[in-house]
Amino acid sequence: MLKRLSHERQTDTSAFEVKAGSAAFPHPFAKGLEYNAPVHGTWNIVHIGMQVPGAHQIYVCSDNCMRGVVMTADEMGLADRFSCVSVTEKDLLSDNMESITIEGVSDVIRRLPYRPPVVMVFTVCLHLFVGSDLDYIYRELNRRFPDIFFCRCFMDPITQKTSLTPEQKLRKAMFDPLKKQDLSPEGRKTVNILGSDVLHTCETSDLYLMLQNAGFTVRQLQDCRSFADYSALSDAALNICCYPSGLHGISELSERLGIPWLYLASSFSYSEIKTSEETLAAWIRADLSVTGSTASFPDKARCDEALESLSRKLQNIPVCLDYTAHPRPLSLTRLLLTHGIDVQRVYLDDISAEEEQDLAFLSEHFPELTFCATVRPEMRIQQKIPSEGSPDKILAIGQKAAFFENTPYFVNMVEGGGLWGYAGILALCRQIESALRDPKEIRDTVVRKGLGCDSLCVVPVWQNKPKKA
């Protein structure tokens, strides 16, 4: 029996399912032992680091921690850009982590068949436990290999609850090799959109449409095919970050290189979209009506029309969504609910400060909306089993929502899917309609790491065989 809470706001976070009217901010659920659902479409540090062309990753840790990252590199077909320095208990008793790291990394570099311009050295929890002098480690590596830039990267999940996560640190470190340069004539008409792993295409981002209409070239890290392309990212008139996990890194990069930057968060709030577009229009010194003058440029009216049409097509089909699909799940929930779409459950574990107002709105106007944990230990047995009398369809947005709801009708999206602005809302409506028409195989889809990356892993075929009498 699922534990239900009253609609009065409470501080009890022992449940793994709570109502919007009683959800705490920012942690609706108690912290403790965590369950890891077999859903891996979000990118991990291996996927993220591989975006830097020519970079080589070296992890310095024990074998038990190494397994996941080794498998990821191999599944991507990029094992040639990945190495590890295995640390044993014997090594710690007879040596120290400084020399183990320095000598291990040096040995890897000398054995490589090529000379990488960038080496990402990942130190781990063990370095923290023994109080390693990281400054000395990198100082010595720089002395030995002055032609290589060493990125300070981390695989230390013990710190992610109290400080920047390893992912946030990496999103900074991967841009550290960029050097300040004088702005070229081409750079004056170039804008970088950085900080996310998902490409913002012209069809799903107002930002692209506005900048292209104003004559700017738009670049992203994902567009870089060589180290020269990557280095050219420092020749830009503006950096834009839309993804919250990339904000730390892009702000640090921009301030170091002296490049102006804007944080234009991906949101489903019409007012927030309007404010962000006005901010960008002011920067490019363009009238918003002129910047969006093409016939294809989306607006609020077109979004309302698309959402109303979607509501009719759903015909009260329950909708569930999760935080891995988009960093603003409550903003998305609010948009759908206020347009007559029956969102019943949101899978999340925390509520960001950016969504505090959305939580307050949902708490007041939709108190019966249910928030479900994804990492609470109880969730290991909470995958829904379709039963007689249940709705024919449940529509999920995101892989974790699809997994827990056990529905093949889902929008397969992570990290916002490149959606931004009115164009993003229209694109999402099309993706939902497609998900309703074309069911997906859950077991084959959600277990694959890094949605959008190459995946060479073989997933066993799931067969629902009848039990023997």
Side-chain angles (χ1 to χ4, degrees):
M1 180 72 70
L2 297 178
K3 181 177 180 181
R4 305 289 182 179
L5 299 184
S6 70
H7 294 165
E8 296 179 359
R9 189 169 295 275
Q10 301 180 11
T11 58
D12 176 18
T13 56
S14 60
F16 57 91
E17 180 177 293
V18 300
K19 296 297 185 181
S22 61
F25 174 84
H27 304 298
F29 306 105
K31 299 298 180 181
L33 182 66
E34 295 187 354
Y35 165 66
N36 183 19
V39 179
H40 304 295
T42 54
W43 289 31
N44 63 33
I45 52 179
V46 179
H47 299 109
I48 296 170
M50 288 293 185
Q51 292 180 94
V52 179
H56 194 91
Q57 299 184 23
I58 303 177
Y59 290 73
V60 186
C61 63
S62 56
D63 289 342
N64 61 325
C65 295
M66 197 81 72
R67 289 178 297 179
V69 289
V70 169
M71 291 173 62
T72 297
D74 191 51
E75 290 164 2
M76 295 179 71
L78 295 175
D80 58 330
R81 294 179 54 197
F82 179 97
S83 300
C84 52
V85 177
S86 182
V87 181
T88 66
E89 184 177 1
K90 180 180 178 181
D91 293 328
L92 293 178
L93 295 174
S94 61
D95 208 333
N96 60 75
M97 284 300 293
E98 286 84 358
S99 62
I100 292 171
T101 303
I102 293 169
E103 298 304 328
V105 171
S106 298
D107 185 57
V108 167
I109 293 173
R110 294 186 182 114
R111 292 171 181 266
L112 289 177
Y114 67 100
R115 195 73 155 188
V118 173
V119 170
M120 296 179 167
V121 179
F122 287 79
T123 54
V124 297
C125 305
L126 191 56
H127 288 83
L128 295 175
F129 293 150
V130 300
S132 300
D133 187 343
L134 297 183
D135 289 338
Y136 168 70
I137 290 173
Y138 286 100
R139 189 165 57 247
E140 179 60 19
L141 289 174
N142 287 325
R143 186 190 67 79
R144 294 187 182 189
F145 306 100
D147 57 324
I148 295 177
F149 190 97
F150 290 92
C151 292
R152 298 193 181 199
C153 305
F154 300 87
M155 187 171 65
D156 53 352
I158 62 169
T159 67
Q160 65 182 7
K161 302 295 184 183
T162 57
S163 64
L164 295 172
T165 66
E167 175 191 353
Q168 289 175 301
K169 296 174 185 176
L170 178 56
R171 291 182 191 277
K172 172 191 175 298
M174 64 196 299
F175 292 109
D176 284 345
L178 294 178
K179 298 178 181 179
K180 187 173 183 178
Q181 57 179 294
D182 295 332
L183 195 61
S184 69
E186 294 79 10
R188 296 181 188 279
K189 296 294 291 184
T190 299
V191 174
N192 296 326
I193 300 178
L194 305 172
S196 174
D197 307 316
V198 182
L199 188 66
H200 288 260
T201 65
C202 298
E203 296 177 351
T204 61
S205 173
D206 293 10
L207 301 180
Y208 255 101
L209 296 172
M210 290 179 64
L211 290 166
Q212 288 181 339
N213 289 350
F216 284 85
T217 298
V218 181
R219 292 185 304 196
Q220 290 199 155
L221 179 59
Q222 295 90 333
D223 300 327
C224 299
R225 295 294 177 265
S226 67
F227 191 73
D229 292 341
Y230 163 81
S231 300
L233 292 174
S234 60
D235 183 25
L238 177 70
N239 288 332
I240 297 176
C241 177
C242 307
Y243 191 56
S245 292
L247 179 57
H248 167 69
I250 303 311
S251 62
E252 291 281 335
L253 165 70
S254 303
E255 292 171 8
R256 178 171 61 83
L257 299 186
I259 299 176
W261 65 279
L262 297 173
Y263 177 52
L264 304 178
S266 178
S267 170
F268 295 94
S269 163
Y270 289 156
S271 61
E272 192 170 350
I273 292 172
K274 183 175 183 292
T275 299
S276 293
E277 292 190 352
E278 289 174 345
T279 299
L280 180 58
W283 185 88
I284 60 180
R285 297 180 179 84
D287 185 282
L288 189 57
S289 61
V290 175
T291 304
S293 60
T294 61
S296 61
F297 198 87
D299 56 19
K300 177 179 177 295
R302 288 180 59 189
C303 290
D304 283 338
E305 181 181 348
L307 288 163
E308 291 171 6
S309 173
L310 178 62
S311 178
R312 291 192 297 269
K313 292 177 182 178
L314 284 169
Q315 296 180 340
N316 296 321
I317 293 174
V319 174
C320 303
L321 58 92
D322 71 67
Y323 75 97
T324 67
H326 197 280
R328 299 287 292 274
L330 300 189
S331 177
L332 174 55
T333 300
R334 180 175 177 175
L335 175 77
L336 297 178
L337 282 171
T338 53
H339 283 82
I341 296 172
D342 184 23
V343 180
Q344 294 189 354
R345 286 176 292 280
V346 181
Y347 289 87
L348 47 69
D349 302 297
D350 295 312
I351 300 171
S352 72
E354 291 181 328
E355 298 220 276
E356 189 171 6
Q357 292 184 358
D358 292 313
L359 174 62
F361 178 89
L362 294 171
S363 178
E364 178 181 356
H365 298 281
F366 300 94
E368 288 297 316
L369 174 69
T370 302
F371 295 155
C372 303
T374 70
V375 297
R376 289 279 298 181
E378 298 92 337
M379 296 304 290
R380 74 192 188 281
I381 58 172
Q382 289 305 313
Q383 188 179 31
K384 303 291 190 300
I385 304 298
S387 59
E388 186 177 352
S390 63
D392 293 335
K393 289 183 180 180
I394 295 177
L395 188 284
I397 302 175
Q399 292 188 349
K400 285 199 172 183
F403 170 77
F404 286 117
E405 296 293 333
N406 200 16
T407 176
Y409 303 99
F410 66 97
V411 177
N412 191 24
M413 181 174 71
V414 298
E415 295 188 12
L419 307 180
W420 198 97
Y422 301 120
I425 293 174
L426 295 175
L428 180 60
C429 289
R430 293 193 295 269
Q431 291 180 37
I432 292 175
E433 292 181 11
S434 176
L436 284 172
R437 294 190 306 267
D438 305 314
K440 305 175 184 67
E441 174 54 55
I442 302 176
R443 183 178 175 85
D444 182 72
T445 303
V446 304
V447 299
R448 296 183 181 276
K449 294 181 182 176
L451 180 62
C453 298
D454 291 334
S455 177
L456 304 182
C457 64
V458 178
V459 180
V461 176
W462 180 260
Q463 295 180 345
N464 292 318
K465 297 181 179 179
K467 295 181 179 180
K468 294 182 179 180

